[in-house]
């Protein structure tokens, strides 16, 4: 660990468990044990507020992927998991949720150091939110049910459907919500009785490595959840196209999602894709502008804007446009940039030097294309990968800065005159993840909801999520849902059962 990170840890303090974990040599977790990667390669892990090296993780290769998929198949077919009653499976998952809660501080600190995010909200949302989802899904373990059917086929039959676990799931997650997204991916298949090979993002694998220790303590049988760390470019295709994998569940960028979809398609493996977004917020003249502006702390700038559903395009009625821009500027300028462990932190660093440079280039291009820079966007060369909350305005919906996902704390505000125009502008985008409508006119909101091309619509709010509400996009934001009862269906296959019933002799 670099001395600068050491000094930061000493300044803010972390739990002994987090300290000890960071000193470990991190390995893969396969078949119920931490194991070395076959090729013994390592990937460095950076702490984003200093830009220095925190630790390293193991780089999995083909042999490791094969081992992990084989372990998952064994656990599915003849291990303790396959034999476990639904009640006991539920118990293990509930125990695991309790352990997450017990270890929330340590998990949050590990996550904050790895990803850069503010510690308080990280514990509250990422970690405890993950425990809540696990509890929600655990409830389904005892409620999986087929149905008996009355059939009209000639003869006499008992006919029913069975819901079976789909098999081994390859789960792949991004770096922006490492722990939380991983739980979004694994809670439902575990409840369904599937087994899993999980690949976290190479930048942020630490919280799930720590989590594997909790799985052991909770009594999750070996082989049920296997963790392969390392580069997606090296093992992504192998895992997604693996003949031993029966379902792929992916969250990440649209670009990589297309590739994952194509690879899964070739293998005829069903796939769920939760991809990028550029979610609009539609602000009408009768909206509570203070509420809209206040929401941007959360809806736009939270997690340094590295949120798939961030409201990064705001369309404001021309009569309130200037007013709203001024209010958002005030909010943006009041946000405190600091390392995630610092209690004053509103906005931490972005994930990497590469991400910061990409965000700077988006902003630069926006300005060169004619957008007006209202605040932020400067001073991006210092230590740590910090980006100031940035507000741009334009009236050109086709600018790249309006159309493309920037994945940083950057919002573009555009004016509109008519409701129909606002709708057309909002829908004029490749993505369809989420949208929000801000108005006091309930009829207007209800008119617009069916016409907005987005998987989630909020009215007078943005970015609410809940374990019971399915989340997932339309258009280039992907297909399939995470969370809610809908997600469970992705991990169950339906078998139709017919039994011919011999008619008794008179
Ligand atoms: P990414 O570059 O697409 O990476 C996502 C994951 O895919 C990582 O684990 C990555 O591994 C892996 N990967 C890379 N190449 C692969 C391949 N050929 N086959 C299989 N997996 C491969 O995305 P990111 O930059 O980490 O995350 C940001 C993106 O995620 C944004 O677009 C954001 O909108 C999206 N996101 C969507 C949702 C949602 O619910 N819709 C939620 C959160 C984030 P490596 O890290 O090793 O490259
Ligand atoms: Mg990191």
């Amino acid at each position: 660990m670099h001395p600068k990170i050491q000094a930061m840890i000493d300044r803010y303090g972390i739990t002994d468990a987090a300290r000890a974990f960071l000193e470990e040599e991190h390995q893969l977790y396969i078949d119920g044990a931490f194991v070395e990667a076959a090729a013994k390669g390592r990937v460095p892990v950076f702490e984003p507020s200093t830009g220095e090296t925190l630790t390293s993780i193991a780089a999995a290769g083909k042999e490791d992927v094969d081992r992990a998929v084989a372990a998952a198949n064994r656990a599915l077919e003849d291990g303790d998991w396959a034999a476990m009653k639904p009640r006991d499976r539920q118990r293990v998952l509930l125990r695991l949720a309790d352990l997450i809660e017990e270890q929330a501080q340590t998990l949050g600190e590990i996550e904050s150091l790895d990803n850069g995010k503010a510690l308080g909200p990280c514990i509250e949302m990422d970690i405890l939110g993950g425990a809540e989802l696990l509890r929600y899904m655990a409830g389904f373990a005892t409620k999986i049910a087929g149905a008996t059917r009355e059939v009209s086929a000639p003869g006499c039959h008992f006919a029913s459907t069975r819901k079976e676990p789909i098999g081994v799931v390859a789960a792949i997650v991004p770096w922006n919500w490492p722990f939380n997204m991983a739980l979004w991916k694994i809670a439902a298949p575990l409840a369904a009785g599937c087994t899993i090979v999980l690949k976290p993002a190479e930048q942020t694998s630490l919280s799930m490595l720590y989590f594997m220790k909790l799985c052991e303590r909770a009594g999750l049988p070996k082989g049920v959840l296997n963790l392969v760390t390392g580069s997606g470019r090296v093992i992504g295709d192998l895992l997604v196209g693996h003949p031993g994998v029966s379902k792929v569940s992916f969250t990440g960028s649209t670009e990589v999602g297309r590739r994952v979809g194509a690879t899964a398609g070739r293998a005829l493996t069903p796939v769920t894709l939760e991809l990028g977004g550029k979610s609009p917020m539609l602000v009408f003249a009768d909206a509570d502008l203070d509420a809209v502006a206040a929401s941007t702390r959360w809806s736009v700038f939270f997690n340094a804007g590295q949120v798939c559903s961030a409201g990064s395009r705001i369309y404001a009625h021309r009569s309130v446009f200037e007013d709203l821009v001024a209010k958002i500027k005030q909010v943006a300028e009041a946000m405190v940039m600091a390392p995630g462990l610092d209690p004053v932190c509103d906005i931490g660093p972005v994930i990497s030097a590469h991400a910061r440079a990409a965000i700077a280039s988006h902003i630069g291009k926006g300005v060169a294309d004619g957008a007006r820079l209202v605040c932020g966007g400067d001073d991006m060369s210092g230590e740590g990968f910090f980006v100031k909350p940035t507000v741009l305005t334009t009236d050109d919906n086709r600018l790249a800065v309006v159309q493309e996902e920037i994945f940083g704390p950057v919002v573009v505000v555009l004016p509109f005159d008519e409701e129909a125009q606002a709708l057309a502008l909002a829908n004029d985008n490749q993505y369809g993840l989420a949208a929000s409508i801000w108005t006091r006119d309930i009829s207007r909101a209800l008119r617009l909801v069916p016409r907005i091309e987005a998987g989630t619509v909020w009215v007078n709010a943005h970015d609410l999520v809940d374990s019971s509400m399915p989340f997932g996009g339309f258009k280039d934001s992907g297909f399939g849902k995470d969370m809610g009862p809908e997600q469970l269906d992705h991990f169950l296959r339906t078998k139709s059962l017919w039994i011919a019933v011999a008619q008794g002799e008179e």
Side-chain angles (χ1 to χ4, degrees):
M1 183 186 302
H2 192 277
K4 272 190 196 160
I5 305 175
Q6 193 66 60
M8 185 175 71
I9 287 175
D10 291 343
R11 181 158 2 115
Y12 299 117
I14 59 172
T15 63
D16 290 343
R19 246 179 229 275
F21 172 74
L22 291 171
E23 293 303 328
E24 285 175 20
E25 166 105 348
H26 304 295
Q27 297 178 313
L28 312 177
Y29 190 87
I30 297 175
D31 209 12
F34 287 99
V35 293
E36 254 190 77
K40 301 195 169 51
R42 308 291 299 171
V43 179
V45 173
F46 298 99
E47 192 287 313
S49 74
T50 56
E52 303 294 353
T53 307
L54 176 64
T55 180
S56 70
I57 52 167
K62 179 175 186 318
E63 207 176 305
D64 305 303
V65 170
D66 286 341
R67 264 198 302 168
V69 173
N73 271 293
R74 276 196 303 278
L76 187 76
E77 281 151 23
D78 51 28
D80 292 344
W81 194 239
M84 201 178 265
K85 298 284 183 205
R87 177 193 59 196
D88 299 325
R89 197 158 77 229
Q90 183 177 48
R91 262 198 201 138
V92 171
L93 299 183
L94 291 173
R95 220 161 28 229
L96 191 50
D98 288 344
L99 288 172
I100 296 172
E101 224 165 68
E102 184 199 295
Q103 297 288 314
Q105 180 73 26
T106 296
L107 279 163
E109 288 165 358
I110 291 168
E111 189 85 318
S112 174
L113 280 165
D114 197 9
N115 165 284
K117 53 177 63 196
L119 178 61
C122 173
I123 293 175
E124 195 57 39
M125 279 171 255
D126 301 44
I127 310 298
L128 296 178
E132 193 179 309
L133 177 62
L134 199 52
R135 288 211 178 91
Y136 175 84
M137 288 298 173
F140 284 118
T142 48
K143 287 150 203 84
I144 293 166
T148 57
R149 298 283 161 87
E150 295 305 317
V151 292
S152 305
C156 184
H157 303 93
F158 171 85
S160 73
T161 58
R162 278 175 54 79
K163 296 284 181 185
E164 302 176 346
I166 196 167
V168 172
V169 176
I172 301 177
V173 293
W175 47 260
N176 62 332
W177 300 82
F179 185 82
N180 199 257
M181 285 296 113
L183 269 289
W184 279 32
K185 290 287 159 216
I186 66 172
L190 289 176
C194 296
T195 59
I196 302 169
V197 178
L198 173 69
K199 199 207 93 58
E202 65 191 289
Q203 294 99 328
T204 54
S205 298
L206 298 182
S207 55
M208 287 318 280
L209 281 161
Y210 189 82
F211 175 74
M212 296 318 305
K213 298 171 190 276
L214 307 187
C215 291
E216 280 185 355
R217 279 177 59 193
L220 195 71
K222 68 176 189 173
V224 175
L225 180 58
N226 304 277
L227 189 70
V228 289
T229 60
S231 164
R233 283 177 308 283
V234 177
I235 55 169
D237 292 349
L238 293 170
L239 183 57
V240 170
H242 203 289
V245 165
S246 299
K247 163 80 189 176
V248 175
S249 181
F250 174 86
T251 298
S253 62
T254 293
E255 187 192 350
V256 176
R258 278 186 210 285
R259 184 180 173 119
V260 167
T263 307
R266 272 193 297 277
L268 290 180
T269 304
V271 60
T272 301
L273 299 171
E274 299 283 355
L275 309 179
K278 186 80 176 182
S279 299
M281 295 171 62
L282 277 59
V283 182
F284 289 91
D286 63 347
D288 178 345
L289 296 189
D290 289 319
V292 177
S295 88
T296 61
R297 276 177 71 88
W298 163 252
S299 63
V300 176
F301 301 121
F302 185 65
N303 207 30
Q306 303 164 118
V307 178
C308 51
S309 50
S312 47
R313 296 184 282 149
I314 300 182
Y315 299 96
H317 190 266
R318 201 175 296 277
S319 64
V320 297
F321 177 78
E322 288 301 340
D323 230 15
L324 182 64
V325 170
K327 285 177 192 289
I328 295 174
K329 176 175 190 271
Q330 224 174 14
V331 168
E333 289 182 336
M335 291 188 80
V336 179
M337 281 199 315
L341 288 187
D342 189 329
V344 302
C345 172
D346 288 322
I347 182 161
V350 298
I351 190 69
S352 63
H354 178 76
R356 181 175 62 175
I359 295 164
S361 144
H362 274 289
I363 297 169
K365 176 155 175 35
V367 172
D369 286 346
R372 180 169 75 93
L373 186 63
V374 176
C375 65
D378 56 341
D379 199 11
M380 287 200 232
S381 54
E383 178 180 285
F385 313 132
F386 289 95
V387 178
K388 283 186 191 163
T390 301
V391 181
L392 295 155
T393 63
T394 177
D395 53 11
D396 184 350
N397 205 46
R398 296 311 302 168
L399 290 195
V401 81
V402 183
Q403 290 293 325
E404 293 170 11
E405 182 180 52
I406 297 177
F407 228 57
V410 182
V411 65
V412 193
V413 195
L414 302 91
F416 69 85
D417 296 297
E418 306 288 340
E419 179 183 307
Q421 184 199 6
L423 179 70
L425 291 169
N427 283 342
D428 173 27
N429 191 273
Q430 73 180 104
Y431 297 110
L433 189 56
S436 60
I437 302 167
W438 297 77
T439 179
R440 291 185 167 95
D441 180 348
I442 188 69
S443 294
R444 186 202 300 280
L446 289 175
R447 250 190 333 264
L448 288 172
V449 168
R451 303 179 65 195
I452 287 196
E453 292 165 0
T456 294
V457 181
W458 298 283
V459 177
N460 295 326
H462 194 102
D463 239 348
L464 301 174
V465 291
D466 190 273
S467 304
S468 68
M469 288 294 280
F471 185 88
F474 299 164
K475 304 201 298 192
D476 288 358
S477 294
F479 45 80
K481 297 288 176 188
D482 280 352
M483 303 199 293
E486 286 79 358
Q487 191 187 4
L488 203 72
D489 289 342
H490 297 311
F491 302 102
L492 294 168
R493 60 183 188 184
T494 303
K495 185 174 281 173
S496 295
L497 168 68
W498 293 73
I499 302 177
V501 180
Q503 297 306 293
E505 286 172 20
E506 290 300 314

